[in-house]
């Protein structure tokens, strides 16, 4: 609802809507996709609390060529993170054609928010994917998607995420 760096956020939305409804969860600044709003607190709790076991579907562009069988197995067994072990269900993975890789990387970099310092990002290793030669798209389902969980799970499986969208 607010941002310490004064970036666009949900608090910028129509004041009437904000008074009547609240967001159900959140999206990281560098993720896109579905964000629900509700005026029903019980529904919000059911959707957000892990005991509700509500599945969330994501599409991620990841670095590297994904071995679908191996990733499916790792996700189904649960991936260890600093917050515990979390399972996921791999829907499918697709290798991105080699001739499309550079344009996808360029699009991601070109669409970074203007306040981002590209030299600083590169120096700190955040543009590690800049010269990647292989990318894949992964669609997966998780029950818990908070605290950058999908990004951490896929990175811990050897495929860091460079673009993430929640469906």
């Amino acid at each position: 609802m607010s941002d310490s760096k004064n970036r666009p956020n949900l608090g910028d939305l129509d004041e009437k809507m904000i008074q009547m409804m609240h967001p159900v969860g959140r999206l990281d600044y560098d993720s896109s996709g579905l964000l629900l709003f509700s005026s029903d607190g019980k529904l919000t709790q059911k959707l957000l609390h892990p005991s509700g076991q509500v599945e969330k579907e994501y599409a991620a562009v990841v670095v590297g060529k994904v071995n679908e069988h191996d990733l499916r197995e790792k996700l189904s067994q649960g991936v260890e993170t600093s917050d515990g072990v979390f399972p996921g269900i791999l829907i499918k993975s697709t290798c991105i054609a080699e001739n499309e890789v550079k344009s996808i990387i360029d699009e991601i970099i070109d669409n970074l928010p203007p306040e981002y310092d590209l030299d600083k990002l590169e120096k700190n290793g955040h543009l590690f994917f800049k010269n990647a030669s292989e990318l894949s798209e992964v669609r997966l389902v998780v029950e818990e998607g908070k605290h950058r969980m999908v990004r951490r799970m896929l990175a811990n499986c050897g495929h860091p995420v460079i673009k993430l969208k929640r469906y």
Side-chain angles (χ1 to χ4, degrees):
M1 294 300 295
S2 62
D3 185 81
S4 61
K5 297 177 182 175
N6 293 320
R7 299 175 292 194
N9 62 79
L10 296 177
D12 298 334
L13 295 175
D14 182 73
E15 193 173 314
K16 253 186 183 176
M17 188 186 97
I18 292 172
Q19 290 173 357
M20 295 171 42
M21 303 183 83
H22 54 269
V24 180
R26 59 184 294 279
L27 283 172
D28 294 323
Y29 191 68
D30 53 355
S31 297
S32 64
L34 179 67
L35 183 60
L36 300 175
F37 287 82
S38 174
S39 59
D40 183 337
K42 287 182 182 179
L43 174 63
T44 299
Q45 272 303 104
K46 181 176 172 74
L47 293 172
L48 290 179
H49 198 275
S51 65
Q53 297 181 318
V54 176
E55 294 181 335
K56 292 116 183 129
E57 184 176 333
Y58 292 85
V61 175
V62 300
V63 175
K65 185 175 181 178
V66 170
N67 178 311
E68 192 167 311
H69 177 268
D70 290 350
L71 183 58
R72 180 172 279 114
E73 188 69 23
K74 287 178 185 178
L75 290 171
S76 69
Q77 290 178 7
V79 179
E80 188 164 342
T81 73
S82 58
D83 289 332
V85 176
F86 296 90
I89 300 167
L90 179 65
I91 297 171
K92 73 175 189 172
S93 69
T94 308
C95 291
I96 294 172
E98 190 176 326
N99 63 339
E100 295 177 31
V101 169
K102 182 172 178 359
S103 63
I104 290 171
I105 291 171
D106 289 346
E107 178 188 354
I108 290 169
I109 292 172
D110 290 345
N111 287 309
L112 288 171
E115 65 270 16
Y116 282 19
D117 180 336
L118 293 180
D119 291 333
K120 188 175 179 182
L121 288 175
E122 187 152 18
K123 180 182 174 190
N124 291 334
H126 297 297
L127 299 181
F128 62 89
F129 59 91
K130 189 175 176 182
N131 297 314
S133 59
E134 294 181 318
L135 298 176
S136 298
E137 182 173 351
V138 174
R139 288 191 76 106
L140 71 155
V141 172
V142 297
E143 285 184 3
E144 199 162 342
K146 62 183 180 180
H147 305 300
R148 303 177 69 80
M149 189 58 63
V150 172
R151 290 177 184 275
R152 293 190 293 156
M153 289 170 65
L154 290 170
N156 290 355
C157 288
H159 297 288
V161 173
I162 62 172
K163 186 176 180 180
L164 186 64
K165 184 171 185 174
R166 179 172 60 203
Y167 287 92

